[in-house]
Amino acid sequence: MQTATEPLALSGGRPVRERPLPYGRHTIDEDDIRAVVAVLRSDWLTTGPAVTDFEDAVAARLGVRFAIAFSSGTAALHAAAFAAGLGPGDEAITTPLTFSATANCLLYQGATPRFADIRPSDLTIDPDRVAAAITPRTRAILPVDYAGHPADLDALRALADRHHLVLIEDAAHALGATSRGRPVGSLADITIFSFHPVKHVAAGEGGMAVTNDPTLASRLRRFRTHGIVYGVDEREPWRYDLVELGFNYRISDLNCALGLSQLAKLDSSLARRRAIAAAYHEAFASLPWLTLPRERPGMASAWHLYALRLNLETLRVDRAEIFRALRAEGIGVQVHYLPVHLLRLYRHRFGYRAGAFPLAEAAYERLLSLPIFPGMSDDDVADVITAVTKVLRAYGR
Ligand SMILES: *Cc1c(COP(=O)(O)O)cnc(C)c1O
C-alpha cells in the first residue's frame, strides 16, 4: 500500500490504483441471473407476473398500499406530476441541487418549476425557503432525498397540508432510508424510486411510484398504459376506452424479475453502504480540508452517495484540480449535481443566472462524490482513503 507522501499521479507519480474504481456500480449474483433466465423461459416478457410481484414486494417493504412500476424513475416522476394534476399555469417547488429529471417532469406537464434553495447541513430543500416561494399558483412540493438523506418531510408535510399542495418525493437515492423510524415511501403523497444500476436496486432500467391514495394510484397506473381503461362494458369484453393522454411507460418482466431478486438483498447492501460511509467518516474526521456528510438526528440515510464538500479556503486549488488528481489516482469521483437552474434549458426558458440560489451553487463548487457501492472491498475503501488523503495533503494550505 502507498503512503500519503508519494508524488501525485497527476505529476507523474504512481497512482494509488491501476484499475480505476467507479463511484457506483451494480452487484449482480447468480440468483439475479437465474431470476432473469426464468422469465426468458416463461410465457411473459413484458407485463406479466414479475411486475406485480415486484410491485407487491416494494409496497410490503415500505408499508404502503399501492406501488406502480414504470420503465424508469423519470417515467415515474412524469406520472406523479400527471397524477397530481399539474398542468400549464401551475407551479411546483423543487430543489436546484438534483438531477435534471426531477424538474423536467414538471416541464413535461407544462407546469412551471420554481426552485427553493437548500439547507447546507444536509443539502436538501429548505422548508423555510419553500414557504417563502409559495404563490397562489403553487400546486406541489417536490423534495429530493439528496444522496439518500431524507428531506425534512415533517416540515414539508405541514406546509403542504396548510396550503393544500401535493407532496411528491423524489426518493431515487433513498430506497431503504428512514425518517424518525418511518420508511421513505410512506411519508409523501407520492414517492418515486429509480432502479437504474447505480441506485440501490438495479433492474436494468426501471422506476416505481408508491402512494396510499387509491385515486392517485389509479391515475398513475393509467398513465403508464396510454391513459387506457379496460372493462368499460361487460357485454363487449374487447372494449377499452382512452380517457386521458398517457404514455407507454410499461416495464418488462425481465426488469422486474431482476429488481425483485435485488430487493431481497437490499438490507445487506444498505448495511455495506453504511459501513463504507462509517469508514470514510473515521478516516477523514480529523482532516481540515473536508466537510463530511452527516445524518441529522432521527434520520437514516440510504447512502446512495458519499458527497463530501471541500473546504476550498484551506486548499490551494479548486475542486476541478482535486477531481482530476483523484481520477489520476484511479478513484472515480463524480460531482452531484450541476444546479438545475443553471443548465441551458432552464437559463434560457426562465432567465436564471448564477447567484439565484447561492447555497446550492456554493455547495456545487465544493461537492465531490466518493465511490460507495456494496461491491466495494475493504481494499477498495482503503484505496479511496489513501488517495483522498494523499491528494489533499499535497494541495492543502
Ligand atoms: C436517477 C435519478 C432520477 C431518474 O431515474 P431514472 O431511473 O434514471 O430515470 C431522478 N431523480 C434523481 C434525483 C435521480 O438520481
Side-chain angles (χ1 to χ4, degrees):
M1 201 210 244
Q2 287 195 12
T3 62
T5 49
E6 286 185 41
L8 295 185
L10 202 57
S11 336
R14 194 160 57 90
V16 172
R17 290 176 67 94
E18 295 296 341
R19 210 165 42 84
L21 185 69
Y23 87 90
R25 194 187 192 288
H26 57 271
T27 305
I28 298 292
D29 63 18
E30 289 304 317
D31 288 346
D32 298 324
I33 293 167
R34 268 194 294 276
V36 175
V37 170
V39 172
L40 286 170
R41 296 189 202 285
S42 81
D43 293 336
W44 304 90
L45 288 183
T46 190
T47 318
V51 177
T52 331
D53 289 350
F54 188 33
E55 290 175 338
D56 291 349
V58 169
R61 161 97 204 189
L62 302 178
V64 294
R65 287 181 68 193
F66 307 102
I68 299 101
F70 288 86
S71 51
S72 70
T74 303
L77 274 169
H78 186 186
F82 168 84
L86 300 180
D90 295 336
E91 297 176 0
I93 301 170
T94 190
T95 169
L97 196 66
T98 184
F99 182 53
S100 47
T102 312
N104 290 351
C105 77
L106 304 168
L107 300 184
Y108 296 153
Q109 284 302 108
T112 304
R114 296 281 173 206
F115 296 100
D117 215 339
I118 57 164
R119 322 190 271 206
S121 55
D122 62 10
L123 304 173
T124 66
I125 199 165
D126 183 337
D128 292 336
R129 292 190 165 83
V130 172
I134 291 173
T135 76
R137 292 174 177 274
T138 308
R139 298 280 173 270
I141 310 174
L142 181 33
V144 174
D145 302 320
Y146 178 88
H149 189 287
D152 190 342
L153 271 298
D154 290 334
L156 296 170
R157 173 84 270 166
L159 268 180
D161 289 347
R162 192 171 329 130
H163 296 272
H164 308 290
L165 310 175
V166 185
L167 187 57
I168 303 169
E169 183 177 0
D170 180 344
H173 297 182
L175 184 62
T178 60
S179 166
R180 294 198 292 109
R182 302 154 307 168
V184 158
S186 64
L187 306 169
D189 296 309
I190 303 174
T191 304
I192 77 94
F193 298 97
S194 164
F195 307 119
H196 180 279
V198 297
K199 308 279 164 69
H200 295 76
V201 161
E205 294 280 1
M208 191 86 74
V210 303
T211 182
N212 282 316
D213 181 320
T215 309
L216 291 174
S218 65
R219 299 200 76 201
L220 288 163
R221 197 164 280 125
R222 205 186 292 157
F223 193 71
R224 175 174 69 180
T225 322
H226 308 279
I228 285 174
V229 289
Y230 297 92
V232 290
D233 188 338
E234 273 175 20
R235 290 158 307 166
E236 298 183 349
W238 64 87
R239 184 171 291 283
Y240 63 84
D241 207 354
L242 182 70
V243 296
E244 282 170 303
L245 186 62
F247 287 77
N248 174 2
Y249 278 160
R250 293 188 306 259
I251 184 169
S252 78
D253 258 37
L254 292 168
N255 297 106
C256 287
L258 179 54
L260 187 60
S261 173
Q262 290 256 303
L263 186 67
K265 290 163 275 196
L266 179 60
D267 285 322
S268 60
S269 76
L270 285 167
R272 182 63 187 150
R273 286 175 183 273
R274 175 166 287 280
I276 295 168
Y280 287 160
H281 280 322
E282 195 181 314
F284 299 145
S286 61
L287 302 188
W289 309 291
L290 298 176
T291 298
L292 303 179
R294 293 257 173 236
E295 288 164 308
R296 286 181 166 249
M299 301 292 148
S301 175
W303 293 107
H304 164 58
L305 302 173
Y306 190 88
L308 54 74
R309 277 167 284 174
L310 301 171
N311 297 336
L312 291 178
E313 311 71 34
T314 66
L315 294 162
R316 289 183 290 108
V317 295
D318 63 6
R319 190 260 317 271
E321 187 73 6
I322 306 277
F323 181 100
R324 278 193 294 273
L326 283 167
R327 282 281 179 98
E329 299 295 343
I331 308 301
V333 287
Q334 257 305 354
V335 174
H336 298 93
Y337 292 94
L338 283 138
V340 177
H341 66 284
L342 296 180
L343 300 174
R344 182 158 63 182
L345 176 75
Y346 285 83
R347 278 190 286 113
H348 284 192
R349 216 186 264 199
F350 302 105
Y352 287 118
R353 303 223 172 129
F357 300 99
L359 298 173
E361 292 169 33
Y364 162 70
E365 301 285 335
R366 292 162 173 76
L367 277 167
L368 205 55
S369 301
L370 299 186
I372 185 166
F373 57 92
M376 279 176 79
S377 68
D378 290 345
D379 284 347
D380 293 334
V381 176
D383 284 346
V384 175
I385 292 169
T386 303
V388 167
T389 312
K390 174 182 174 186
V391 166
L392 293 174
R393 287 233 169 93
Y395 288 124
R397 283 191 196 276

